[in-house]
Amino acid sequence: MRLLAVLHSPPGSGSDTTIRRIAAHLTGSGHSVLLTPDPGDPRQLAHLARRNGIDAMLGTHAYLCGQTFADSDLPYVIVFGGTDLNEFTEDPQAMAVMTEAVDRAAALVAFNHDFVDRCLTLWPRTKDRLHHIPQAVQVRPARFYSLRHALDLPRDARVLLLPSGLRPVKDPLLLTREVSQWHQEDPRIRLVISGVSYDEDFEDIVRRRCARSPGVDFIGPLRRDHLLAAMRQSTAVLNTSLSECSPNAVLEAMALGCRLLVRDIPGNTCLVRDGHNGLVFADPRHFRHQVQRLLDDPALGARLGREAARTVRRGHSPEAERAAYAAVFGRLAAVRPQPRTGGLPVRHPVQATPGGGDAA
């Protein structure tokens, strides 16, 4: 099939990495995939699809894709994003857009059982079109990048790395005060925030807060392989989000065998079991207690890291993810209409790659 995969998020974000990885799976399964930014206009999307002989479309986020997909005469598959079921369900206008898009979708994908249940509660009629496909990750850290060298940190620094897109829902400033106070007691303690910006005003708030917080560094987005290397070099990798679905950076850190500390929200605890493959915290004071456990007991961190890597190998493999998406689109191919005649030639598709930039 000729597929159109629509991009909504900034390069290097988790959603961007996810759709590029799925598109790469589909290319590897024999489909041709054209990656394109969402034009935001159903007529422009339809023209692009006709010009390239597109058979079906793929997008992440029911709300963002729904605004252009629902008016298309092409079949489409929607992968639910975290904001769909965590935030947009509270907005009647967004819910109306999502409901129309969901009703017209050929297939829907949810990353975890929590999202499957929530989707079926909202739209029980989707049962036969809803697929549970756990998110996978592919990790290839840079061999020669050093975060400590880049920041001129001493060798004994205890680096707490927060890969986080700069959005309020990610709450990247949650731990700044606690870590800054701790740093003044123990200068080895450092919080490093890295991620892409979604909003210039919010980015300015983050930069100013970090600049006046001793022991806290904001380093902007890192190239994806550099971010993965930085994860491996850190004392712990963090997630502070107010809501998540299946956070890319958490899965990547798990795949690398990193020590993880995540906020106690369903999207995180679907992946991280406290004391089993990572540590969970409720608030900044509890966070400090959990980090201290890692510092006091290196064997604990090593055990958690090993179990985190096993978790990803067992339930989030790229091979299983590829097979699952191949099956979904294989069913679409089996029922697609006969090819249109008289259309323009298909231009060579942009080849999908497993991701670029960081995964915050």
Side-chain angles (χ1 to χ4, degrees):
M1 298 180 75
R2 297 180 177 95
L3 306 175
L4 186 82
V6 176
L7 305 168
H8 289 289
S9 303
S13 66
S15 293
D16 185 75
T17 299
T18 294
I19 196 165
R20 289 178 185 274
R21 187 186 64 256
I22 295 170
H25 287 327
L26 294 169
T27 300
S29 299
H31 303 286
S32 60
V33 182
L34 173 66
L35 284 162
T36 182
D38 188 347
D41 182 338
R43 292 170 298 179
Q44 292 183 36
L45 190 69
H47 175 71
L48 181 65
R50 286 195 302 271
R51 191 178 68 194
N52 289 279
I54 296 299
D55 299 305
M57 298 185 294
L58 167 70
T60 54
H61 297 292
Y63 176 61
L64 298 177
C65 287
Q67 297 175 92
T68 47
F69 278 18
D71 290 331
S72 170
D73 61 354
L74 290 172
Y76 57 84
V77 175
I78 288 178
V79 180
F80 283 113
T83 50
D84 287 334
L85 301 184
N86 288 329
E87 297 178 55
F88 292 143
T89 53
E90 305 299 320
D91 181 336
Q93 181 179 356
M95 265 298 291
V97 171
M98 289 195 295
T99 297
E100 184 178 8
V102 164
D103 283 343
R104 297 189 180 190
L108 303 159
V109 175
F111 289 143
N112 57 48
H113 289 296
D114 176 52
F115 264 41
V116 168
D117 293 341
R118 291 163 71 180
C119 176
L120 292 176
T121 298
L122 291 166
W123 304 291
R125 56 197 175 275
T126 63
K127 182 177 180 180
D128 294 336
R129 293 177 289 127
L130 180 60
H131 303 267
H132 171 221
I133 304 178
Q135 180 157 240
V137 287
Q138 295 166 312
V139 289
R140 299 184 182 92
R143 294 179 60 189
F144 302 109
Y145 177 78
S146 169
L147 178 66
R148 293 167 190 266
H149 177 75
L151 293 176
D152 195 26
L153 298 177
R155 297 184 65 179
D156 65 348
R158 304 295 188 253
V159 178
L160 308 171
L161 177 64
L162 174 58
S164 173
L166 300 190
R167 292 188 288 164
V169 70
K170 300 294 185 180
D171 206 7
L173 298 175
L174 172 70
L175 303 172
T176 53
R177 178 174 297 176
E178 186 69 36
V179 170
S180 190
Q181 292 174 352
W182 194 3
H183 171 79
Q184 293 178 69
E185 301 167 21
D186 182 350
R188 297 176 302 169
I189 303 298
R190 304 293 294 252
L191 172 63
V192 178
I193 303 171
S194 174
V196 297
S197 175
Y198 289 76
D199 179 285
E200 289 185 2
D201 291 338
F202 190 69
E203 179 186 1
D204 185 57
I205 292 171
V206 171
R207 288 185 178 277
R208 285 189 283 109
R209 174 77 68 82
C210 293
R212 64 173 186 262
S213 300
V216 179
D217 298 288
F218 172 67
I219 58 173
L222 287 177
R223 214 174 75 184
R224 185 164 180 265
D225 59 337
H226 286 181
L227 179 66
L228 296 173
M231 288 180 179
R232 293 179 68 175
Q233 297 159 10
S234 300
T235 303
V237 178
L238 319 178
N239 181 288
T240 59
S241 295
L242 292 164
S243 71
E244 289 280 9
C245 173
S246 179
N248 233 56
V250 168
L251 276 170
E252 288 173 335
M254 294 174 74
L256 293 168
C258 299
R259 295 161 295 279
L260 268 165
L261 285 96
V262 302
R263 193 174 191 163
D264 189 1
I265 58 170
N268 284 336
T269 55
C270 281
L271 299 172
V272 179
R273 290 168 49 197
D274 188 44
H276 174 70
N277 56 8
L279 296 176
V280 177
F281 63 90
D283 53 47
R285 292 298 297 175
H286 189 210
F287 162 80
R288 177 168 175 171
H289 168 77
Q290 296 287 57
V291 174
Q292 192 64 57
R293 289 178 63 194
L294 292 178
L295 298 180
D296 293 341
D297 186 358
L300 170 64
R303 177 175 61 78
L304 295 175
R306 288 193 300 270
E307 197 55 47
R310 288 194 193 101
T311 300
V312 173
R313 287 197 301 271
R314 291 169 181 165
H316 300 272
S317 76
E319 294 77 17
E321 187 182 49
R322 173 176 290 191
Y325 282 100
V328 170
F329 281 88
R331 283 190 284 273
L332 281 187
V335 299
R336 66 176 165 166
Q338 292 299 310
R340 294 178 292 275
T341 59
L344 295 175
V346 179
R347 65 187 175 96
H348 189 72
V350 177
Q351 290 300 310
T353 58
D358 72 79

